Short mmCIF file of all heavy atoms in Angstrom, two decimals:
data_model
loop_
_atom_site.label_atom_id
_atom_site.label_comp_id
_atom_site.label_asym_id
_atom_site.label_seq_id
_atom_site.Cartn_x
_atom_site.Cartn_y
_atom_site.Cartn_z
N PRO A 317 40.84 -19.94 21.35
CA PRO A 317 40.10 -18.76 20.62
C PRO A 317 40.95 -17.52 20.54
O PRO A 317 41.85 -17.26 21.48
CB PRO A 317 38.91 -18.66 21.56
CG PRO A 317 39.29 -19.13 22.96
CD PRO A 317 40.27 -20.28 22.62
N ASP A 319 39.34 -14.56 19.62
CA ASP A 319 38.35 -13.43 19.24
C ASP A 319 38.30 -12.33 20.24
O ASP A 319 37.32 -11.87 20.70
CB ASP A 319 36.95 -14.23 19.30
CG ASP A 319 36.63 -14.97 20.48
OD1 ASP A 319 37.60 -15.02 21.35
OD2 ASP A 319 35.47 -15.33 20.80
N ARG A 320 39.52 -11.92 20.61
CA ARG A 320 39.61 -10.64 21.57
C ARG A 320 38.90 -9.45 20.95
O ARG A 320 38.24 -8.76 21.68
CB ARG A 320 41.11 -10.55 21.82
CG ARG A 320 41.40 -9.47 22.71
CD ARG A 320 42.80 -9.36 22.97
NE ARG A 320 43.21 -8.45 24.08
CZ ARG A 320 44.31 -8.61 24.82
NH1 ARG A 320 45.08 -9.63 24.51
NH2 ARG A 320 44.51 -7.86 25.78
N HIS A 321 39.24 -9.30 19.67
CA HIS A 321 38.50 -8.17 19.03
C HIS A 321 37.37 -8.77 18.12
O HIS A 321 37.71 -9.27 17.01
CB HIS A 321 39.39 -7.42 18.09
CG HIS A 321 40.74 -6.91 18.88
ND1 HIS A 321 40.57 -5.65 19.61
CD2 HIS A 321 41.91 -7.38 19.01
CE1 HIS A 321 41.84 -5.54 20.28
NE2 HIS A 321 42.55 -6.69 19.83
N ALA A 325 30.88 -5.88 10.88
CA ALA A 325 30.29 -6.27 9.68
C ALA A 325 29.45 -5.15 9.13
O ALA A 325 29.05 -4.12 9.85
CB ALA A 325 29.38 -7.48 9.84
N HIS A 327 26.04 -4.13 6.85
CA HIS A 327 24.72 -4.72 6.78
C HIS A 327 24.51 -5.27 5.30
O HIS A 327 24.97 -4.54 4.33
CB HIS A 327 23.65 -3.52 7.09
CG HIS A 327 22.33 -4.12 7.42
ND1 HIS A 327 21.48 -4.74 6.52
CD2 HIS A 327 21.67 -4.51 8.64
CE1 HIS A 327 20.30 -5.18 7.13
NE2 HIS A 327 20.50 -5.17 8.25
N THR A 330 23.22 -2.86 2.77
CA THR A 330 24.27 -2.01 2.13
C THR A 330 25.09 -2.69 1.25
O THR A 330 25.18 -2.11 0.03
CB THR A 330 25.23 -1.48 3.44
OG1 THR A 330 24.32 -0.82 4.25
CG2 THR A 330 26.21 -0.42 2.87
N ASP A 338 27.41 -2.15 -8.59
CA ASP A 338 28.64 -2.55 -9.28
C ASP A 338 28.26 -3.29 -10.60
O ASP A 338 28.96 -3.17 -11.62
CB ASP A 338 29.52 -3.44 -8.26
CG ASP A 338 30.16 -2.66 -7.20
OD1 ASP A 338 30.24 -1.45 -7.33
OD2 ASP A 338 30.72 -3.39 -6.21
N GLU A 346 25.52 4.78 -14.11
CA GLU A 346 25.82 5.57 -13.04
C GLU A 346 24.80 5.35 -11.86
O GLU A 346 23.76 4.89 -12.18
CB GLU A 346 26.07 7.06 -13.40
CG GLU A 346 27.39 7.13 -14.22
CD GLU A 346 27.56 8.61 -14.75
OE1 GLU A 346 26.97 9.44 -14.21
OE2 GLU A 346 28.26 8.70 -15.79
N VAL A 347 25.23 5.67 -10.64
CA VAL A 347 24.40 5.52 -9.49
C VAL A 347 23.83 6.91 -9.11
O VAL A 347 24.60 7.81 -8.84
CB VAL A 347 25.08 4.93 -8.28
CG1 VAL A 347 24.19 4.65 -7.21
CG2 VAL A 347 25.66 3.51 -8.84
N GLU A 349 21.24 9.34 -6.61
CA GLU A 349 20.52 9.15 -5.34
C GLU A 349 19.74 10.48 -5.06
O GLU A 349 19.74 11.46 -5.78
CB GLU A 349 21.58 9.19 -4.19
CG GLU A 349 22.38 7.82 -4.22
CD GLU A 349 23.64 7.84 -3.48
OE1 GLU A 349 24.55 8.67 -3.94
OE2 GLU A 349 23.69 7.14 -2.59
N VAL A 352 14.88 11.16 0.86
CA VAL A 352 13.68 10.30 1.09
C VAL A 352 12.46 11.10 1.37
O VAL A 352 11.34 10.48 1.18
CB VAL A 352 13.98 9.23 2.19
CG1 VAL A 352 15.16 8.23 1.82
CG2 VAL A 352 14.37 9.93 3.52
N ILE A 353 12.56 12.24 1.97
CA ILE A 353 11.38 13.11 2.24
C ILE A 353 11.32 13.89 0.87
O ILE A 353 12.30 14.68 0.58
CB ILE A 353 11.57 13.98 3.37
CG1 ILE A 353 11.61 13.15 4.63
CG2 ILE A 353 10.20 14.95 3.48
CD1 ILE A 353 11.84 14.02 5.87
N TRP A 357 5.03 16.27 -5.99
CA TRP A 357 5.13 16.38 -7.47
C TRP A 357 6.17 15.46 -8.11
O TRP A 357 5.87 14.81 -9.08
CB TRP A 357 5.45 17.85 -7.84
CG TRP A 357 5.20 18.11 -9.37
CD1 TRP A 357 4.04 18.31 -10.04
CD2 TRP A 357 6.32 18.14 -10.30
NE1 TRP A 357 4.37 18.45 -11.45
CE2 TRP A 357 5.62 18.18 -11.65
CE3 TRP A 357 7.67 17.84 -10.29
CZ2 TRP A 357 6.44 18.36 -12.79
CZ3 TRP A 357 8.42 17.92 -11.59
CH2 TRP A 357 7.79 18.03 -12.78
N ASP A 368 -5.67 12.41 -9.04
CA ASP A 368 -7.05 11.62 -9.11
C ASP A 368 -6.63 10.21 -9.67
O ASP A 368 -7.58 9.53 -10.07
CB ASP A 368 -8.09 12.35 -9.73
CG ASP A 368 -8.48 13.53 -9.00
OD1 ASP A 368 -8.62 13.45 -7.72
OD2 ASP A 368 -8.72 14.59 -9.66
N THR A 377 0.67 5.78 1.10
CA THR A 377 1.82 6.70 1.26
C THR A 377 1.79 7.34 2.69
O THR A 377 0.78 7.64 3.14
CB THR A 377 1.47 7.90 0.18
OG1 THR A 377 1.38 7.29 -1.13
CG2 THR A 377 2.69 8.83 0.19
N TRP A 379 2.34 10.66 4.41
CA TRP A 379 2.38 12.21 4.11
C TRP A 379 2.88 12.82 5.30
O TRP A 379 2.82 12.41 6.51
CB TRP A 379 0.95 12.65 3.87
CG TRP A 379 0.32 11.99 2.55
CD1 TRP A 379 -0.33 10.70 2.50
CD2 TRP A 379 0.45 12.51 1.27
NE1 TRP A 379 -0.56 10.51 1.24
CE2 TRP A 379 -0.26 11.51 0.39
CE3 TRP A 379 1.13 13.53 0.69
CZ2 TRP A 379 -0.24 11.76 -1.10
CZ3 TRP A 379 0.97 13.78 -0.76
CH2 TRP A 379 0.20 12.82 -1.53
N GLU A 381 3.08 16.45 7.70
CA GLU A 381 2.31 17.70 8.09
C GLU A 381 3.02 18.82 7.97
O GLU A 381 4.21 18.77 8.25
CB GLU A 381 1.69 17.41 9.54
CG GLU A 381 0.68 16.24 9.65
CD GLU A 381 0.28 16.22 11.06
OE1 GLU A 381 0.96 16.54 12.03
OE2 GLU A 381 -0.90 15.83 11.34
N ASP A 385 2.32 21.33 2.58
CA ASP A 385 3.74 21.20 2.17
C ASP A 385 3.95 20.26 0.97
O ASP A 385 4.92 20.51 0.21
CB ASP A 385 4.60 20.80 3.27
CG ASP A 385 5.01 21.83 4.24
OD1 ASP A 385 4.51 23.03 4.04
OD2 ASP A 385 5.63 21.52 5.32
N LEU A 402 15.42 15.71 -14.94
CA LEU A 402 15.27 17.25 -14.99
C LEU A 402 16.58 17.88 -14.95
O LEU A 402 16.54 19.11 -15.28
CB LEU A 402 14.37 17.55 -13.78
CG LEU A 402 12.92 17.20 -13.80
CD1 LEU A 402 12.29 17.23 -12.40
CD2 LEU A 402 12.21 18.23 -14.69
N MET A 444 11.92 -2.40 -25.43
CA MET A 444 11.76 -3.41 -24.50
C MET A 444 12.86 -4.51 -24.53
O MET A 444 13.16 -5.21 -23.57
CB MET A 444 10.48 -3.97 -24.65
CG MET A 444 9.24 -3.12 -24.24
SD MET A 444 7.67 -3.93 -24.54
CE MET A 444 7.51 -5.02 -23.13
N ASP A 452 18.13 -9.41 -17.89
CA ASP A 452 18.57 -10.86 -17.82
C ASP A 452 20.07 -10.79 -17.45
O ASP A 452 20.49 -11.72 -16.61
CB ASP A 452 18.66 -11.35 -19.40
CG ASP A 452 17.31 -11.91 -19.76
OD1 ASP A 452 16.51 -12.21 -18.89
OD2 ASP A 452 16.97 -12.01 -21.00
N PRO A 469 2.49 -8.82 -18.89
CA PRO A 469 1.88 -7.58 -18.99
C PRO A 469 1.35 -7.05 -17.63
O PRO A 469 0.87 -7.79 -16.86
CB PRO A 469 0.58 -7.63 -19.98
CG PRO A 469 0.94 -8.90 -20.67
CD PRO A 469 1.85 -9.74 -19.73
N SER A 478 3.93 -1.70 -19.74
CA SER A 478 4.49 -2.19 -18.51
C SER A 478 4.50 -3.72 -18.37
O SER A 478 3.70 -4.39 -19.07
CB SER A 478 3.57 -1.68 -17.34
OG SER A 478 3.48 -0.25 -17.42
N GLU A 513 8.46 -13.72 -8.47
CA GLU A 513 8.07 -12.38 -8.99
C GLU A 513 9.38 -11.52 -8.44
O GLU A 513 9.65 -11.62 -7.24
CB GLU A 513 6.78 -11.89 -8.22
CG GLU A 513 5.69 -12.44 -8.92
CD GLU A 513 4.36 -11.89 -8.24
OE1 GLU A 513 4.24 -10.72 -7.98
OE2 GLU A 513 3.39 -12.70 -8.17
N ARG A 523 4.64 10.55 -21.47
CA ARG A 523 4.08 11.72 -20.59
C ARG A 523 5.19 12.06 -19.52
O ARG A 523 5.31 13.17 -19.15
CB ARG A 523 2.78 11.31 -19.96
CG ARG A 523 1.64 11.24 -20.86
CD ARG A 523 0.43 10.54 -20.10
NE ARG A 523 -0.72 10.37 -21.11
CZ ARG A 523 -1.86 11.16 -21.08
NH1 ARG A 523 -1.83 12.19 -20.12
NH2 ARG A 523 -2.69 11.12 -21.88
N GLU A 562 16.20 -5.53 12.92
CA GLU A 562 16.22 -5.67 14.23
C GLU A 562 17.54 -5.25 14.80
O GLU A 562 17.75 -5.00 15.97
CB GLU A 562 16.10 -7.18 14.54
CG GLU A 562 14.65 -7.68 14.34
CD GLU A 562 13.65 -7.38 15.36
OE1 GLU A 562 13.65 -8.00 16.34
OE2 GLU A 562 12.80 -6.32 15.13
N GLY A 563 18.72 -5.24 13.95
CA GLY A 563 20.01 -4.72 14.49
C GLY A 563 20.66 -5.86 15.32
O GLY A 563 21.65 -5.61 15.96
N ASP A 564 20.17 -7.10 15.20
CA ASP A 564 20.90 -8.21 15.85
C ASP A 564 22.21 -8.58 15.21
O ASP A 564 22.21 -8.81 14.08
CB ASP A 564 19.98 -9.48 15.81
CG ASP A 564 20.55 -10.50 16.91
OD1 ASP A 564 21.74 -10.83 16.86
OD2 ASP A 564 19.70 -11.07 17.59
N VAL A 565 23.27 -8.36 15.96
CA VAL A 565 24.64 -8.42 15.23
C VAL A 565 24.89 -9.93 14.71
O VAL A 565 25.66 -10.08 13.85
CB VAL A 565 25.76 -8.13 16.21
CG1 VAL A 565 25.70 -6.71 16.70
CG2 VAL A 565 25.87 -8.98 17.47
N GLU A 574 31.28 -8.00 2.52
CA GLU A 574 30.87 -8.11 1.23
C GLU A 574 29.96 -9.20 0.94
O GLU A 574 29.94 -10.20 1.59
CB GLU A 574 32.17 -8.20 0.35
CG GLU A 574 33.09 -7.18 0.29
CD GLU A 574 32.63 -5.97 -0.36
OE1 GLU A 574 31.65 -6.01 -1.30
OE2 GLU A 574 33.23 -4.89 -0.09
N ALA B 132 -0.94 -13.92 -19.29
CA ALA B 132 -0.08 -13.66 -20.34
C ALA B 132 -0.69 -12.30 -21.13
O ALA B 132 -0.04 -11.54 -21.72
CB ALA B 132 0.14 -14.67 -21.37
N LYS B 136 -3.76 -10.98 -14.29
CA LYS B 136 -2.91 -11.93 -13.60
C LYS B 136 -3.63 -12.92 -12.66
O LYS B 136 -4.41 -12.45 -11.76
CB LYS B 136 -1.93 -11.01 -12.82
CG LYS B 136 -0.77 -11.87 -12.16
CD LYS B 136 -0.04 -11.17 -11.12
CE LYS B 136 0.77 -12.18 -10.27
NZ LYS B 136 1.00 -11.46 -8.94
N ARG B 458 -12.99 10.65 -6.09
CA ARG B 458 -12.77 11.65 -4.95
C ARG B 458 -13.85 11.33 -3.84
O ARG B 458 -13.61 11.40 -2.75
CB ARG B 458 -12.92 13.00 -5.51
CG ARG B 458 -11.77 13.34 -6.32
CD ARG B 458 -11.86 14.90 -6.81
NE ARG B 458 -10.68 15.24 -7.63
CZ ARG B 458 -10.59 16.40 -8.23
NH1 ARG B 458 -11.58 17.28 -8.20
NH2 ARG B 458 -9.55 16.67 -8.95
N VAL B 527 9.06 0.06 -30.16
CA VAL B 527 9.01 0.15 -28.71
C VAL B 527 9.21 -1.30 -28.04
O VAL B 527 9.89 -1.42 -26.99
CB VAL B 527 7.73 0.68 -28.22
CG1 VAL B 527 7.50 0.38 -26.67
CG2 VAL B 527 7.61 2.17 -28.56
N ASP B 568 -3.29 7.17 -25.58
CA ASP B 568 -1.97 7.61 -26.04
C ASP B 568 -1.40 6.48 -27.07
O ASP B 568 -1.84 5.42 -26.98
CB ASP B 568 -1.04 7.80 -24.99
CG ASP B 568 -1.16 8.88 -24.08
OD1 ASP B 568 -2.24 9.45 -24.22
OD2 ASP B 568 -0.33 9.31 -23.34
N GLU B 574 1.01 -1.12 -25.97
CA GLU B 574 0.74 -2.25 -25.04
C GLU B 574 -0.22 -3.27 -25.48
O GLU B 574 -0.14 -4.46 -25.31
CB GLU B 574 0.47 -1.80 -23.64
CG GLU B 574 0.26 -2.87 -22.58
CD GLU B 574 0.18 -2.32 -21.20
OE1 GLU B 574 1.26 -1.95 -20.60
OE2 GLU B 574 -0.87 -2.37 -20.55
N TYR B 582 4.55 -10.96 -24.82
CA TYR B 582 5.76 -10.51 -24.15
C TYR B 582 6.92 -11.43 -24.25
O TYR B 582 8.08 -11.09 -24.17
CB TYR B 582 5.46 -10.03 -22.68
CG TYR B 582 4.91 -8.69 -22.51
CD1 TYR B 582 4.06 -8.13 -23.38
CD2 TYR B 582 5.18 -8.10 -21.18
CE1 TYR B 582 3.44 -6.93 -23.12
CE2 TYR B 582 4.58 -6.72 -21.04
CZ TYR B 582 3.76 -6.27 -21.99
OH TYR B 582 3.16 -4.98 -21.77
N SER B 587 16.16 -10.38 -26.20
CA SER B 587 17.11 -9.95 -25.06
C SER B 587 18.27 -9.21 -25.65
O SER B 587 19.17 -9.98 -26.20
CB SER B 587 17.45 -11.04 -24.20
OG SER B 587 18.22 -10.61 -23.01
N VAL B 588 18.44 -7.97 -25.55
CA VAL B 588 19.63 -7.26 -26.15
C VAL B 588 20.16 -6.28 -25.20
O VAL B 588 19.33 -5.43 -24.71
CB VAL B 588 19.05 -6.39 -27.53
CG1 VAL B 588 20.26 -5.74 -28.05
CG2 VAL B 588 18.33 -7.43 -28.39
N ARG B 596 31.00 7.26 -15.65
CA ARG B 596 32.03 7.93 -14.79
C ARG B 596 32.18 7.19 -13.57
O ARG B 596 32.92 7.54 -12.50
CB ARG B 596 31.46 9.32 -14.40
CG ARG B 596 31.48 10.22 -15.59
CD ARG B 596 30.83 11.56 -15.32
NE ARG B 596 29.49 11.38 -15.00
CZ ARG B 596 28.64 12.34 -14.83
NH1 ARG B 596 29.00 13.65 -14.91
NH2 ARG B 596 27.26 12.26 -14.68
N GLN B 602 30.15 8.40 -3.01
CA GLN B 602 29.72 7.01 -2.98
C GLN B 602 30.86 6.08 -2.61
O GLN B 602 30.65 5.19 -1.91
CB GLN B 602 29.06 6.47 -4.32
CG GLN B 602 27.74 7.14 -4.55
CD GLN B 602 27.24 7.17 -6.12
OE1 GLN B 602 28.05 6.81 -6.90
NE2 GLN B 602 25.99 7.59 -6.33
N ARG B 605 31.57 6.54 1.08
CA ARG B 605 30.76 6.03 2.11
C ARG B 605 31.10 4.53 2.12
O ARG B 605 30.93 3.93 3.37
CB ARG B 605 29.38 6.19 1.46
CG ARG B 605 28.71 7.61 2.14
CD ARG B 605 27.32 7.74 1.55
NE ARG B 605 27.33 8.38 0.26
CZ ARG B 605 26.49 8.30 -0.51
NH1 ARG B 605 25.51 7.61 -0.39
NH2 ARG B 605 26.53 8.98 -1.77
N ARG B 606 31.37 3.88 1.12
CA ARG B 606 31.74 2.43 1.12
C ARG B 606 33.03 2.30 2.14
O ARG B 606 33.11 1.38 2.95
CB ARG B 606 32.25 1.96 -0.09
CG ARG B 606 31.00 1.84 -1.12
CD ARG B 606 31.41 1.23 -2.47
NE ARG B 606 30.25 0.98 -3.26
CZ ARG B 606 30.19 0.11 -4.31
NH1 ARG B 606 31.33 -0.50 -4.64
NH2 ARG B 606 29.08 -0.04 -5.06
N ARG B 610 33.47 0.15 5.63
CA ARG B 610 34.56 -0.83 5.69
C ARG B 610 35.54 -0.49 6.88
O ARG B 610 35.95 -1.46 7.63
CB ARG B 610 35.33 -0.97 4.41
CG ARG B 610 34.59 -1.52 3.33
CD ARG B 610 35.42 -1.56 1.99
NE ARG B 610 34.54 -2.09 1.03
CZ ARG B 610 34.53 -1.67 -0.30
NH1 ARG B 610 35.27 -0.70 -0.63
NH2 ARG B 610 33.59 -2.19 -1.17
N ALA B 617 32.99 -2.77 14.49
CA ALA B 617 31.58 -2.34 14.49
C ALA B 617 30.70 -3.02 13.61
O ALA B 617 31.08 -3.38 12.37
CB ALA B 617 31.56 -0.73 14.32
N GLU B 619 27.15 -2.83 11.40
CA GLU B 619 26.20 -1.86 10.82
C GLU B 619 24.69 -2.42 11.08
O GLU B 619 24.44 -3.59 10.94
CB GLU B 619 26.30 -1.82 9.29
CG GLU B 619 25.49 -0.70 8.72
CD GLU B 619 25.81 -0.43 7.22
OE1 GLU B 619 26.35 -1.35 6.65
OE2 GLU B 619 25.30 0.51 6.67
N VAL B 621 20.38 -1.30 10.46
CA VAL B 621 19.41 -0.52 9.74
C VAL B 621 18.19 -0.39 10.65
O VAL B 621 17.64 -1.51 10.99
CB VAL B 621 19.16 -1.09 8.33
CG1 VAL B 621 18.01 -0.41 7.72
CG2 VAL B 621 20.30 -1.21 7.57
N ARG B 647 6.59 16.07 11.28
CA ARG B 647 5.61 14.94 11.62
C ARG B 647 4.82 14.28 10.41
O ARG B 647 4.72 14.98 9.40
CB ARG B 647 4.53 15.53 12.54
CG ARG B 647 5.08 16.05 13.94
CD ARG B 647 4.06 16.75 14.75
NE ARG B 647 3.09 15.69 15.27
CZ ARG B 647 3.18 15.03 16.35
NH1 ARG B 647 4.30 15.19 17.19
NH2 ARG B 647 2.20 14.23 16.71
N ALA B 649 1.50 12.69 8.73
CA ALA B 649 0.04 12.76 8.95
C ALA B 649 -0.61 11.45 9.33
O ALA B 649 -1.61 11.30 10.09
CB ALA B 649 -0.58 13.29 7.67
N ASN B 650 0.13 10.32 8.82
CA ASN B 650 -0.49 8.97 9.05
C ASN B 650 0.63 8.00 9.60
O ASN B 650 1.10 7.15 8.93
CB ASN B 650 -1.05 8.46 7.84
CG ASN B 650 -0.25 8.57 6.57
OD1 ASN B 650 0.75 9.31 6.55
ND2 ASN B 650 -0.40 7.75 5.58
N ARG B 673 18.90 -4.52 22.56
CA ARG B 673 18.33 -5.66 22.23
C ARG B 673 19.27 -6.85 22.13
O ARG B 673 19.14 -7.95 22.51
CB ARG B 673 17.62 -5.49 20.72
CG ARG B 673 16.92 -6.63 20.21
CD ARG B 673 16.13 -6.32 18.93
NE ARG B 673 15.20 -5.26 19.08
CZ ARG B 673 15.16 -4.24 18.27
NH1 ARG B 673 16.00 -4.02 17.38
NH2 ARG B 673 14.22 -3.35 18.49
N ASN B 674 20.51 -6.32 21.55
CA ASN B 674 21.61 -7.28 21.47
C ASN B 674 22.06 -7.80 22.92
O ASN B 674 22.29 -9.07 23.14
CB ASN B 674 22.90 -6.70 20.71
CG ASN B 674 22.62 -6.85 19.23
OD1 ASN B 674 22.84 -7.95 18.61
ND2 ASN B 674 22.30 -5.69 18.55
N ARG B 677 19.68 -10.13 24.32
CA ARG B 677 19.75 -11.47 23.64
C ARG B 677 20.98 -12.16 24.04
O ARG B 677 21.38 -13.23 23.42
CB ARG B 677 19.53 -11.35 22.21
CG ARG B 677 18.18 -10.95 21.68
CD ARG B 677 18.01 -10.73 20.24
NE ARG B 677 16.61 -10.31 20.00
CZ ARG B 677 16.27 -10.04 18.69
NH1 ARG B 677 17.00 -10.27 17.75
NH2 ARG B 677 15.07 -9.63 18.51
N SER B 695 9.54 21.89 7.89
CA SER B 695 9.53 21.93 6.36
C SER B 695 8.87 23.14 5.83
O SER B 695 8.23 23.86 6.57
CB SER B 695 8.90 20.65 5.98
OG SER B 695 7.55 20.55 6.41
N THR B 698 6.17 22.74 -0.97
CA THR B 698 6.70 22.48 -2.23
C THR B 698 5.48 22.66 -3.22
O THR B 698 4.39 22.38 -2.90
CB THR B 698 7.32 21.15 -2.48
OG1 THR B 698 6.30 20.16 -2.21
CG2 THR B 698 8.48 20.94 -1.54
N LEU B 701 3.46 21.25 -9.65
CA LEU B 701 3.59 22.02 -10.99
C LEU B 701 2.82 21.22 -11.98
O LEU B 701 2.22 20.02 -11.83
CB LEU B 701 5.16 21.77 -11.41
CG LEU B 701 6.09 22.44 -10.26
CD1 LEU B 701 7.47 22.18 -10.66
CD2 LEU B 701 5.87 23.92 -10.07
N ARG B 706 8.24 20.34 -19.19
CA ARG B 706 9.22 20.52 -18.10
C ARG B 706 8.88 21.82 -17.44
O ARG B 706 8.63 22.82 -18.00
CB ARG B 706 10.61 20.64 -18.78
CG ARG B 706 11.71 20.62 -17.76
CD ARG B 706 13.03 20.77 -18.55
NE ARG B 706 14.16 20.59 -17.52
CZ ARG B 706 14.71 21.57 -16.90
NH1 ARG B 706 14.16 22.71 -16.96
NH2 ARG B 706 15.73 21.24 -15.99
N GLN B 722 18.30 16.85 4.18
CA GLN B 722 18.28 15.64 4.70
C GLN B 722 19.84 15.02 4.87
O GLN B 722 20.14 14.15 4.13
CB GLN B 722 17.35 14.64 4.10
CG GLN B 722 15.92 15.12 3.98
CD GLN B 722 15.07 14.51 3.04
OE1 GLN B 722 14.96 13.32 2.79
NE2 GLN B 722 14.45 15.39 2.21
N GLU B 735 36.44 -5.12 23.89
CA GLU B 735 37.33 -6.28 23.63
C GLU B 735 36.91 -7.25 24.54
O GLU B 735 36.70 -7.10 25.78
CB GLU B 735 38.85 -5.88 23.92
CG GLU B 735 39.45 -5.02 22.88
CD GLU B 735 40.88 -4.70 23.12
OE1 GLU B 735 41.46 -5.46 24.13
OE2 GLU B 735 41.48 -3.84 22.54
N ARG B 736 36.90 -8.54 24.02
CA ARG B 736 36.28 -9.69 25.01
C ARG B 736 37.41 -10.06 25.97
O ARG B 736 38.64 -10.01 25.72
CB ARG B 736 36.02 -10.95 24.08
CG ARG B 736 34.70 -10.80 23.44
CD ARG B 736 34.33 -11.97 22.69
NE ARG B 736 33.38 -11.73 21.71
CZ ARG B 736 33.19 -12.29 20.51
NH1 ARG B 736 33.97 -13.17 20.28
NH2 ARG B 736 32.20 -11.88 19.65
N TRP B 739 41.05 -16.13 27.62
CA TRP B 739 42.26 -16.89 28.32
C TRP B 739 43.36 -15.88 28.35
O TRP B 739 44.22 -15.98 29.17
CB TRP B 739 42.57 -18.11 27.61
CG TRP B 739 42.84 -17.88 26.09
CD1 TRP B 739 41.98 -17.90 25.07
CD2 TRP B 739 44.05 -17.43 25.51
NE1 TRP B 739 42.57 -17.56 23.89
CE2 TRP B 739 43.89 -17.45 24.13
CE3 TRP B 739 45.31 -17.22 26.03
CZ2 TRP B 739 44.82 -17.02 23.18
CZ3 TRP B 739 46.33 -16.81 25.04
CH2 TRP B 739 46.18 -16.81 23.75
#
Side-chain angles (χ1 to χ4, degrees):
Chain A
D319 55 350
R320 182 172 189 157
H321 304 277
H327 199 281
T330 306
D338 288 347
E346 291 173 20
V347 179
E349 294 164 297
V352 296
I353 300 179
W357 188 83
D368 294 315
T377 309
W379 297 86
E381 285 182 337
D385 281 356
L402 284 163
M444 287 174 84
D452 279 343
S478 301
E513 284 184 38
R523 288 170 183 259
E562 296 274 282
D564 192 316
V565 296
E574 291 288 341
Chain B
K136 189 193 161 201
R458 289 185 181 171
V527 168
D568 291 13
E574 181 170 284
Y582 275 30
S587 187
V588 180
R596 291 172 296 189
Q602 286 160 355
R605 270 178 276 150
R606 292 183 174 197
R610 288 180 186 141
E619 187 177 18
V621 174
R647 294 176 68 90
N650 50 340
R673 186 176 297 130
N674 276 286
R677 290 178 181 179
S695 59
T698 61
L701 306 172
R706 185 181 192 275
Q722 296 155 57
E735 282 181 15
R736 271 184 206 148
W739 54 268

